[in-house]
Amino acid sequence: MKKNRSNLLATGLCAVGLFTGILSVAQAQINAFTPPVLNSFGSEPTGNDGLFFTPTTAISVTALGYVIPGSIAGNDVGLYDVSTSTLLASSTITSSSTLSGDFLYNTITPVSLTAGNQYAVVGLYTAGNGAIGYTADSGVGAAPEITFDGYAYDNNASLDLSTISYSPPIFGPNFQYTVVPVPEPTT
């Protein structure tokens, strides 16, 4: 009887370890936009740069970011629900934020986004202090779980949902997310 209990306990612990390992892989942070090339350009006026997107599956935004070295000056970044113009989350990115690729990120309280709804990540660019603007002339490199819907800007000096369409997109804001796991059917 003792041997069966030991085998059962070992089997149970292996299953828990395997399940935990699968969850940790499924919860990897994904950068929403990874442009193949960022082209720097001269002075950009103070204002908001917005990247509009639609998730193709449920995702959870876990961090907001801004391109470097633009973020050295400190940049406000916000996540908006476009249909209601509601600010869902915001953060100020600085040189002490966490580096990932060409962007610095701050962790936020996770925000769940619904597949098929349109959202925007908006960054307030502040001219001066060595900040540089960037375009993504060769594409935005949208992650597989999101569709890039376009870019818009404005010249307002406070964070808001930008409305003037323009191409190519001017890069500043970005975000990280995890895919919301689909629950297994119960038996």
Side-chain angles (χ1 to χ4, degrees):
M1 186 67 144
K2 255 187 174 180
K3 188 174 184 180
N4 285 343
R5 282 188 188 160
S6 296
N7 287 343
L8 187 57
L9 179 61
T11 303
L13 289 174
C14 286
V16 168
L18 184 60
F19 180 73
T20 303
I22 290 170
L23 281 180
S24 66
V25 169
Q27 295 300 314
Q29 295 291 324
I30 301 167
N31 293 336
F33 301 105
T34 52
V37 177
L38 285 170
N39 302 303
S40 65
F41 64 94
S43 57
E44 178 184 356
T46 294
N48 293 285
D49 295 310
L51 301 172
F52 291 74
F53 65 95
T54 302
T56 58
T57 189
I59 63 174
S60 180
V61 176
T62 56
L64 296 175
Y66 202 86
V67 69
I68 53 174
S71 52
I72 292 171
N75 296 87
D76 292 333
V77 177
L79 177 66
Y80 284 87
D81 179 323
V82 173
S83 67
T84 62
S85 299
T86 302
L87 178 64
L88 303 174
S90 65
S91 187
T92 301
I93 312 304
T94 65
S95 59
S96 61
S97 299
T98 303
L99 177 66
S100 179
D102 292 322
F103 296 85
L104 290 168
Y105 292 93
N106 287 341
T107 302
I108 60 168
T109 301
V111 177
S112 296
L113 303 185
T114 305
N117 289 354
Q118 188 178 50
Y119 301 92
V121 60
V122 177
L124 178 60
Y125 176 88
T126 306
N129 297 327
I132 300 170
Y134 291 91
T135 60
D137 300 329
S138 58
V140 298
E145 295 83 11
I146 61 174
T147 301
F148 175 66
D149 297 331
Y151 164 82
Y153 75 97
D154 66 35
N155 293 327
N156 297 336
S158 61
L159 187 65
D160 65 5
L161 186 58
S162 42
T163 58
I164 303 166
S165 295
Y166 182 82
S167 185
I170 296 174
F171 254 85
N174 205 342
F175 66 96
Q176 292 180 323
Y177 67 92
T178 59
V179 175
V180 176
V182 177
E184 292 287 323
T186 58
T187 55

